[in-house]
Amino acid sequence: MPEHLLGPHVVGQRVVIRRLLRGRSGPTGGPAFTDLLGVCTAWGDGSMTLRPDTGDPADRAPVDIALADIVSGKPVPPRPSHLARVSARDAEARGLGVVPGMETAELGGWILRTDPAPIGRLLKRANSCLAMGSPGLPFADAVERLLAFYSARDRAPMAQVEQGSEVEASFLDAGWQPLGRGDASFQAAPLARLHRLLAPRQARGTGEARGTGEAQPLTLQAVGSSATAELRDEHGTRIAAGSAVLDGDWLGLHGLAVDAEHRRRGLATAVLAELVEWGAEQGARTAWLHVETDNIGALALYERLGFSEHHAARYVVPA
């Protein structure tokens, strides 16, 4: 058998293998071979187990392979995430349904956004131009259209750009400046993994507000493609809440908040679990959220849950 680069050290790694199909003939009458690509999950006792990661998901049952049948093989890079094929602009556009009634207008690939009837403070994401990709016309003309749009609606002009992008550089060259707050990391995670991690919390159905008496069960209200989960204490005061919006098979998580007196008690995780359970029931495959880049605690929480940064966004305003 030719030398290959496999062994017990590849357990947990993605590998490509060519193996002999005993008892079968190839197109030329010689031995038949087949190639497999996937993750090695076990090695020993004269065989290895491989979990395929290509082809129809329904056909990805683990395959046991006799070591004597391996003709060649080697470790290969991990399978690229499908998120790598999604642009920052398309990822951010998944959040257009976060604010109901938001007015939008396309400017080439840019999206002008404003909330005509805000409740409380103006949300930057709902009152800024999503300036990612090409506006379809010269940059100066696009900025003129942007300024006119927000002036007509009595809104301060603002653009949301991808950090490090050519569009950001163009705004800065034109004299615009970073807002100075609100830099956000767009985080995404496979919803199936989130669901597995959070299922025990969701099964409990309550959050524990220590020192405040008996916490009430988590409640979830869903209307169409949106849902809100909240937890109240024994007095009926809301102490934790969060919302989600479904766009295709993407679940956007937003508005997660816990009362200052009840933080670090697992309430945020309990609310997330309820929203993820709802998203899984709706067929969501990817969860995403924004977290400000200086929110160290939230970044650590989401990293533990399997979120990773897709891109970072920044808001810029005229000087």
Side-chain angles (χ1 to χ4, degrees), residues 140-283:
D141 294 339
V143 170
E144 186 176 344
R145 293 271 296 275
L146 183 160
L147 294 172
F149 178 88
Y150 289 104
S151 176
R153 290 157 180 79
D154 195 27
R155 292 281 187 269
M158 185 186 307
Q160 183 189 23
V161 299
E162 182 182 2
Q163 289 189 33
S165 66
E166 293 183 4
V167 174
E168 180 190 33
S170 296
F171 273 103
L172 298 179
D173 289 344
W176 289 51
Q177 298 178 348
L179 184 62
R181 62 185 186 279
D183 286 2
S185 172
F186 185 104
Q187 302 265 327
L191 192 118
R193 183 173 189 271
L194 268 179
H195 192 225
R196 287 196 303 271
L197 290 173
L198 294 173
R201 173 73 65 172
Q202 194 277 338
R204 277 180 249 169
T206 62
E208 185 179 336
R210 299 188 185 95
T212 63
E214 189 71 21
Q216 301 300 310
L218 269 165
T219 61
L220 184 134
Q221 292 184 328
V223 179
S225 60
S226 300
T228 297
E230 63 177 28
L231 177 69
R232 296 179 180 271
D233 64 14
E234 75 281 11
H235 304 298
T237 302
R238 187 168 73 173
I239 57 177
S243 299
V245 61
L246 194 67
D247 180 353
D249 60 359
W250 286 56
L251 182 74
L253 302 165
H254 64 99
L256 185 66
V258 177
D259 186 80
E261 295 182 3
H262 305 293
R263 291 174 183 169
R264 301 187 182 278
R265 295 168 181 170
L267 303 189
T269 309
V271 170
L272 272 177
E274 197 75 13
L275 295 172
V276 166
E277 176 73 12
W278 174 79
E281 292 172 352
Q282 310 307 308

Side-chain angles (χ1 to χ4, degrees), residues 1-22:
M1 183 178 68
E3 290 291 330
H4 58 70
L5 303 177
L6 304 177
H9 64 281
V10 301
V11 173
Q13 296 185 40
R14 192 173 189 238
V15 297
V16 60
I17 291 175
R18 171 159 290 189
R19 64 164 175 161
L20 174 68
L21 295 178
R22 295 187 180 274

Side-chain angles (χ1 to χ4, degrees), residues 28-180:
T28 62
F33 303 95
T34 188
D35 295 332
L36 289 174
L37 182 64
V39 177
C40 175
T41 59
W43 184 287
D45 296 329
S47 69
M48 67 167 292
T49 303
L50 183 140
R51 185 181 70 247
D53 64 1
T54 59
D56 190 333
D59 298 329
R60 296 182 188 173
V63 179
D64 292 325
I65 304 167
L67 300 183
D69 292 342
I70 298 176
V71 176
S72 62
K74 63 180 180 180
V76 295
R79 187 181 187 189
S81 167
H82 73 282
L83 296 175
R85 301 189 291 271
V86 179
S87 69
R89 186 266 183 200
D90 289 345
E92 291 287 351
R94 299 284 184 174
L96 294 178
V98 167
V99 179
M102 183 169 62
E103 178 188 355
T104 62
E106 293 185 359
L107 182 56
W110 294 6
I111 302 177
L112 300 161
R113 308 170 293 190
T114 187
D115 183 2
I119 299 176
R121 65 184 179 88
L122 288 175
L123 296 176
K124 296 185 290 293
R125 196 190 320 171
N127 292 278
S128 62
C129 173
L130 177 57
M132 298 182 183
S134 171
L137 66 164
F139 180 79
D141 294 339
V143 170
E144 186 176 344
R145 293 271 296 275
L146 183 160
L147 294 172
F149 178 88
Y150 289 104
S151 176
R153 290 157 180 79
D154 195 27
R155 292 281 187 269
M158 185 186 307
Q160 183 189 23
V161 299
E162 182 182 2
Q163 289 189 33
S165 66
E166 293 183 4
V167 174
E168 180 190 33
S170 296
F171 273 103
L172 298 179
D173 289 344
W176 289 51
Q177 298 178 348
L179 184 62

